[in-house]
Amino acid sequence: MRRLAAFSLIAVATALAASSQSILIRNATVLTVTKGSIQNGSVLIENGKIAAIGKNVSAPADATVVDATGRYLMPGIIDCHSHTAIEGGINEGSVSDSSMVNIKDVINPYDINIYRALAGGLTVSNVLHGSANAIGGQTVVIKLRWGKTAQEMLFDGAKPGIKFALGENPKRQGYPQESFFTQGQVVERRYPGTRMGVEEVIRESFTEAKNYQAEWKDYENRVERGEHPIPPRKDLRLDPLVEVLEGKRYVHAHCYRADEILMLLRVANEMGFKIRTLQHVLEGYKVAKEIAAHGAGASTFSDWWSYKIEAYDATPYNAAIMARKGVVVSLNSDSDELQRHLNLEAAKVMRYGGLSETEALAMVTINPAKQLGIDETVGSIEVGKSADLVLFDKHPLDNFSKVEKVWIDGHQYFDREKDLETRPAFEQKKKALEEKLKPAAQRPARGQGGSNPTAEAIQ
Amino acid sequence: MKSAHLLAISLICLAPALLAGGDDNSVLIRNVVIHPVTSPDIPNGSVLVIDGKIAEVGMKVSARGGARVVDGHGLHLYPGLINAATNVGLAEIGALRDTVDLDEIGPFNPELRAEIAFNPSSEHIAVTRASGITSVITLPGSGARGGRGGPAPVITGQGALMHLDGWTWEQMAVKPGAVMDMLFPQIGGGSSRYAAVSGGQAPSFEEQEKQYREQLKRIGEFFEEARRYERAKNAGLADFQRDVRLEAMLPVIDGKQPLFMRAERERMIKDSVEFAEKEKVKIIIADPHEIGRTGPLLKEHNIPVVLGKTFELPMHDDDPYDAPYTLPNEFYKAGVEICFGTFDVEFARNVPFEAAQAVAFGLPHDIALKALTINSAEVLGAGDRIGSIEKGKSADLILTDGDPMQARTTIKQMFIAGREVSLESRHTREYEKWLARP
């Protein structure tokens, strides 16, 4: 049934995506996020890019016109912390530094949660490993091009990342507890089991990476001098860490407590690399100054707290404090469910800390774009940027609003009207398949009056 | 300088307590848009509170004697919101079992009462309040269906309707024993589900259905036992011995205390109604994930529903993406009385947003507001005391700058039983403390 759901909805998506020429979205309230709002504004899309924005925009005669009167247009929502579209488990649990594994290898383009997220206005996700390991693995940024292949979903030009994790989750493997899934089985302990050990894993890995980097430099220097040295042995675990040291790969670090945040910043400063984003960072408000000084972004929850002890000092004012102290803050989902309404998560920072509408919207658009280094092409409605756009029936920070249409690169990937239209046919298909699953005795005889024509049609 | 600052903060913290009530324990809230919920809005009205109760509501209400006057400056006055399903007060930090008092051992625990372990110092109380919620029902069960080989939980104890302010649970309890929390059995739940996810051999459907029938039979026997106990008690025999567990079942079998029946699937809802008919007990359907064809059945038997979160994923991959968002309206359209709950602790404060999402997908706004207030009060047996702004009711009021279902709205002031209650919490304390860090 999962496959049927995926393929039927993909059929809708493909039909939608096919019509990509010039599109004029007319008469909307355009929330650009970076350049203010335009009442009764229009946006022209050409070749997948935003070609013009304003009150009076002329479009080619053959442009598809979308009347958006009374509607609100905002940039596609960006989630800086997602596990959607990952096939199978998200943690390589066997070692505490699993930097050799790559999310890119396990993107599942048929994950129905991609479509569900699109229906909530999400267009870009930073897809990360879980938090079982101090160093978790290589990460990728995807565009939710539903209906396309895994390869086609990758965000072209987005810098790859690597997931780190601090605190309770990585140390849990040191003192594993019996869970629903492990009942009765012996669970092997694995270093580290303390925050001290977590720090040591990162320090040790980067010490090795630096030695490894030096070996290669030495090798290259000798080659340059015309010598014929034996190359160092290639190390798939250390390669991505060298990329981090050379600024070619971003570090996204799961963290909670203020002390462990400072710990990581110190190790990074000492080793000479940057933390691109602190993820969750629920006590970031206590050390916002230090985070800002390091230049790390903060990707946090709007209001999660108390689910474990390291989340007990959390406050929904976290985003507001960090923003006021100069940190680039985004709101993430970390969840197939929450990613469906990040606009409403953003609305909460207006209540908790009194941020403005624009500041709130920025936390799910331009700020995560900056954190992922993709703000040149997405994150706001500006001429020249990719046409990643979401049309809402009401203001996106209004709790009574819903998404009507979503475009990525000018292709329409979600249309609520079309989704509703296809439901009856889809239901019919499903019934026909269920009929086929029944044992022959319970099935109406073939050719009998009233037999379901759809059942024949889909063979 | 520093101590002066601290002193100022302390005074601010104390202020509401000092100001609560005037000389004669009365408060006049005037110049507000009143949303009584049970009657039309009053664009510019006043509410007089005396001795914790609403004494007068209207366009022209005059203060009496030393009543403290609160000028609302055109703000909105709503009845305090009610979350009709939480575990607030019984669990503090989810992952730390030591801080969690949910899910007692054993399948039948009707004698357990949520208020007994309700911690009036829980940080969740003030956090939940900050969203405009003045009452919650606190349930002794998390809803987890077990699955470790032991008997699956059935009756987890009695849920209490609690005010979110007070020094002890006695002061906070609006209605102890408001509901009896029960998990209706599920085909394939419990041990068979465990077998399936742990890689073992799941029993066949026939085997699962057999287990289900056996479980229903055991439940029927327990109810029958309670009935025999009642007969023995009424007979007044000299050798009658009191039994704590069966005694607790008497209000249930007498139809006075509703079973808070957790039934997620269509079949469970249908079988719950059948069960209630057979046992002649009152039920509330709790946390349904689908409606199926149960709408007319629930309407016919006048059975209300406490909805769980709308912010959920659809149950199946091939369900419409908005299935959880449209579910409340489907129950409403079927003529079923609805309330909202979150069935948790940390997100109990978000219940107005759960309802708002249903509004975005079709539920009429006034129905959503009723579901968050008067419906919950009625369904939980306190409709005569809380849930609307009406003369004689407990003065549970919130003063806001907008619709409490909107995240952008700020809750400005709160009264519970006429006492002005602080909207500060662990969250605001951390905020103020660390915002001021040099």
Side-chain angles (χ1 to χ4, degrees):
Chain A
M1 217 39 96
R2 186 191 180 102
R3 274 287 146 92
L4 172 62
F7 285 120
S8 300
L9 291 169
I10 284 171
V12 175
T14 317
L16 290 171
S19 58
S20 160
Q21 21 138 349
S22 297
I23 304 168
L24 181 70
I25 303 167
R26 210 175 55 186
N27 211 19
T29 300
V30 181
L31 307 167
T32 69
V33 179
T34 46
K35 313 256 181 208
S37 302
I38 306 162
Q39 309 286 331
N40 307 320
S42 297
V43 172
L44 179 68
I45 303 170
E46 277 184 333
N47 301 319
K49 299 255 192 293
I50 297 168
I53 310 162
K55 286 208 178 263
N56 300 304
V57 174
S58 52
D62 64 340
T64 306
V65 176
V66 178
D67 179 18
T69 306
R71 310 290 201 271
Y72 290 78
L73 191 70
M74 74 172 279
I77 296 172
I78 299 171
D79 184 1
C80 198
H81 191 123
S82 172
H83 304 297
T84 291
I86 298 176
E87 177 73 45
I90 61 170
N91 285 302
E92 172 48 57
S94 55
V95 286
S96 44
D97 170 3
S98 55
S99 55
M100 70 296 276
V101 298
N102 198 331
I103 286 290
K104 198 161 82 175
D105 302 329
V106 289
I107 291 289
N108 167 20
Y110 301 119
D111 185 347
I112 190 68
N113 290 307
I114 298 172
Y115 180 76
R116 290 168 172 171
L118 261 175
L122 192 75
T123 54
V124 174
S125 291
N126 186 27
V127 189
L128 308 170
H129 282 100
S131 48
N133 305 338
I135 299 180
Q138 300 165 50
T139 66
V140 288
V141 182
I142 62 168
K143 281 202 171 188
L144 304 190
R145 298 182 181 111
W146 179 243
K148 299 289 174 70
T149 64
Q151 193 61 34
E152 288 166 332
M153 282 196 186
L154 300 179
F155 192 124
D156 205 19
K159 205 178 268 190
I162 189 163
K163 173 84 178 272
F164 285 14
L166 315 178
E168 289 181 31
N169 294 12
K171 75 181 195 139
R172 195 172 292 147
Q173 289 296 102
Y175 288 92
Q177 287 173 337
E178 193 182 77
S179 77
F180 189 75
F181 296 97
T182 60
Q183 191 197 13
Q185 295 171 18
V186 179
V187 182
E188 223 167 290
R189 291 178 61 177
R190 187 257 281 154
Y191 184 95
T194 68
R195 283 185 170 81
M196 296 174 284
V198 171
E199 192 255 19
E200 194 275 341
V201 168
I202 297 170
R203 179 182 297 276
E204 186 170 309
S205 287
F206 275 92
T207 305
E208 287 176 63
K210 289 186 128 185
N211 292 339
Y212 177 68
Q213 185 187 31
E215 278 178 45
W216 274 100
K217 275 205 181 118
D218 179 55
Y219 166 76
E220 281 153 14
N221 290 342
R222 289 172 67 180
V223 169
E224 220 165 275
R225 289 200 298 269
E227 296 173 30
H228 301 282
I230 300 168
R233 186 190 171 102
K234 192 159 179 60
D235 191 316
L236 297 181
R237 179 174 66 90
L238 297 177
D239 276 333
L241 300 184
V242 171
E243 287 172 1
V244 169
L245 289 166
E246 292 173 351
K248 295 172 186 158
R249 183 176 288 281
Y250 290 150
V251 175
H252 304 293
H254 159 120
C255 56
Y256 279 79
R257 255 168 44 182
D259 59 290
E260 72 195 14
I261 295 166
L262 293 182
M263 172 279 280
L264 182 66
L265 298 181
R266 287 182 196 117
V267 172
N269 289 342
E270 189 185 320
M271 293 286 168
F273 67 92
K274 285 285 178 194
I275 304 300
R276 185 69 183 188
T277 69
L278 292 159
Q279 297 284 335
H280 309 324
V281 59
L282 293 192
E283 288 188 20
Y285 68 96
K286 296 182 179 178
V287 288
K289 191 167 73 169
E290 288 84 351
I291 295 172
H294 182 88
S299 169
T300 188
F301 295 126
S302 65
D303 63 353
W304 289 26
W305 81 295
S306 81
Y307 42 97
K308 47 184 175 174
I309 192 67
E310 65 185 3
Y312 200 48
D313 266 11
T315 166
Y317 296 86
N318 187 32
I321 302 186
M322 289 194 290
R324 297 220 189 289
K325 300 211 173 191
V327 180
V328 174
V329 180
S330 68
L331 297 168
N332 70 43
S333 81
D334 191 13
S335 145
D336 288 339
E337 192 284 312
L338 202 69
Q339 66 179 351
R340 283 157 34 98
H341 47 90
L342 280 170
N343 53 308
L344 301 179
E345 297 305 295
K348 290 175 184 169
V349 300
M350 298 180 66
R351 168 176 290 189
Y352 302 117
L355 297 184
S356 70
E357 282 187 355
T358 303
E359 284 174 307
L361 285 176
M363 286 190 180
V364 293
T365 54
I366 191 69
N367 289 6
K370 284 179 186 164
Q371 292 175 341
L372 296 170
I374 51 177
D375 54 314
E376 284 293 308
T377 59
V378 295
S380 63
I381 303 183
E382 291 181 63
V383 172
K385 281 198 173 184
S386 300
D388 292 8
L389 301 164
V390 189
L391 193 67
F392 281 83
D393 63 342
K394 297 189 174 72
H395 195 291
L397 298 172
D398 185 321
N399 281 73
F400 304 137
S401 66
K402 60 178 173 296
V403 172
E404 293 189 335
K405 297 178 198 301
V406 179
W407 293 267
I408 298 175
D409 305 315
H411 293 268
Q412 199 179 334
Y413 282 92
F414 174 75
D415 189 319
R416 179 165 162 81
E417 248 171 60
K418 295 230 165 67
D419 181 287
L420 292 171
E421 265 171 34
T422 50
R423 285 182 195 182
F426 181 65
E427 274 305 308
Q428 225 178 346
K429 264 189 201 176
K430 201 168 123 181
K431 281 217 179 80
L433 280 176
E434 279 168 356
E435 202 58 43
K436 278 178 177 286
L437 283 171
K438 284 184 188 165
Q442 293 175 29
R443 227 168 16 204
R446 232 166 222 274
Q448 221 173 29
S451 74
N452 193 337
T454 319
E456 315 294 328
I458 60 171
Q459 279 171 354
Chain B
M1 196 62 194
K2 202 171 183 181
S3 57
H5 186 65
L6 277 178
L7 184 65
I9 290 176
S10 312
L11 285 174
I12 291 166
C13 294
L14 283 172
L18 292 171
L19 292 174
D23 293 344
D24 64 352
N25 196 22
S26 60
V27 186
L28 179 74
I29 304 165
R30 69 175 184 207
N31 196 14
V32 287
V33 183
I34 304 175
H35 303 269
V37 176
T38 44
S39 58
D41 293 354
I42 303 168
N44 187 358
S46 302
V47 171
L48 180 67
V49 176
I50 298 177
D51 290 335
K53 294 228 158 55
I54 296 167
E56 267 186 78
V57 185
M59 304 266 277
K60 284 187 180 146
V61 177
S62 46
R64 298 179 194 172
R68 177 192 159 208
V69 176
V70 174
D71 193 309
H73 299 288
L75 292 173
H76 299 261
L77 194 71
Y78 290 88
L81 307 181
I82 303 167
N83 186 329
T86 78
N87 301 120
V88 170
L90 291 182
E92 197 68 14
I93 298 169
L96 297 182
R97 177 65 215 175
D98 294 359
T99 71
V100 179
D101 287 297
L102 297 171
D103 303 329
E104 188 48 272
I105 295 158
F108 297 103
N109 291 308
E111 73 283 17
L112 300 183
R113 297 188 290 147
E115 69 273 15
I116 296 297
F118 188 92
N119 177 8
S121 297
S122 169
E123 299 283 0
H124 288 276
I125 293 171
V127 166
T128 305
R129 241 172 16 209
S131 282
I133 297 160
T134 51
S135 304
V136 300
I137 191 138
T138 297
L139 299 160
S142 68
R145 290 182 175 271
R148 292 191 167 233
V154 179
I155 293 180
T156 63
Q158 300 172 48
L161 181 59
M162 307 295 286
H163 263 153
L164 291 181
D165 177 53
W167 300 95
T168 65
W169 71 256
E170 285 91 340
Q171 196 188 357
M172 301 173 85
V174 177
K175 187 165 183 177
V179 295
M180 184 66 81
D181 191 10
M182 174 166 169
L183 290 106
F184 197 80
Q186 182 183 29
I187 294 184
S191 55
S192 45
R193 180 175 148 68
Y194 170 64
V197 298
S198 62
Q201 183 66 44
S204 68
F205 182 78
E206 285 72 23
E207 181 59 31
Q208 289 178 22
E209 192 170 30
K210 199 173 134 220
Q211 285 175 8
Y212 170 74
R213 293 285 159 211
E214 277 166 12
Q215 213 189 349
L216 275 185
K217 193 163 152 260
R218 277 197 297 276
I219 295 169
E221 282 164 5
F222 182 70
F223 277 70
E224 180 51 31
E225 204 182 333
R227 232 170 245 117
R228 283 201 297 269
Y229 173 83
E230 187 174 46
R231 281 200 293 276
K233 188 185 179 189
N234 291 343
L237 302 175
D239 62 347
F240 171 78
Q241 286 188 341
R242 204 179 143 86
D243 181 293
V244 173
R245 185 168 295 194
L246 296 175
E247 189 77 29
M249 283 299 287
L250 300 185
V252 173
I253 58 170
D254 290 346
K256 289 175 188 155
Q257 185 184 41
L259 287 166
F260 194 81
M261 194 72 96
R262 300 176 189 242
E264 293 89 350
R265 307 296 303 269
E266 178 181 6
R267 178 170 182 163
M268 295 163 81
I269 299 171
K270 194 167 96 10
D271 290 359
S272 291
V273 177
E274 200 177 290
F275 173 84
E277 282 299 290
K278 184 168 148 271
E279 299 292 343
K280 296 188 176 49
V281 293
K282 231 169 112 178
I283 62 167
I284 300 165
I285 295 295
D287 204 15
H289 286 36
E290 62 186 349
I291 181 167
R293 284 155 292 187
T294 65
L297 187 70
L298 295 172
K299 182 180 159 45
E300 181 196 332
H301 294 280
N302 201 20
I303 295 169
V305 163
V306 174
L307 292 154
K309 290 178 180 168
T310 51
F311 290 123
E312 277 286 337
L313 287 172
M315 258 194 308
H316 307 108
D317 279 3
D318 53 355
D319 285 342
Y321 79 92
D322 58 3
Y325 307 154
T326 55
L327 187 64
N329 194 35
E330 286 181 48
F331 279 105
Y332 167 68
K333 279 192 304 189
V336 179
E337 182 167 24
I338 58 166
C339 318
F340 284 98
T342 50
F343 294 84
D344 71 355
V345 181
E346 73 165 302
F347 296 121
R349 62 192 147 139
N350 285 346
V351 73
F353 310 145
E354 304 285 348
Q357 186 71 355
V359 174
F361 285 80
L363 183 69
H365 180 270
D366 59 326
I367 301 303
L369 189 58
K370 280 187 175 160
L372 290 168
T373 54
I374 189 64
N375 287 9
S376 295
E378 280 172 357
V379 167
L380 303 171
D384 55 337
R385 292 154 64 198
I386 61 172
S388 61
I389 304 182
E390 285 180 83
K391 193 172 171 173
K393 282 199 170 177
S394 175
D396 298 356
L397 303 165
I398 54 172
L399 199 59
T400 73
D401 60 5
D403 189 331
M405 278 186 267
Q406 294 282 8
R408 288 181 290 180
T409 294
T410 307
I411 312 298
K412 300 275 190 186
Q413 264 175 298
M414 174 182 279
F415 297 84
I416 295 180
R419 296 184 297 275
E420 180 163 0
V421 175
S422 167
L423 290 169
E424 291 180 350
S425 68
R426 184 182 182 85
H427 294 170
T428 58
R429 289 197 301 275
E430 297 283 11
Y431 173 56
E432 276 154 24
K433 175 178 170 183
W434 291 93
L435 191 62
R437 183 191 161 195

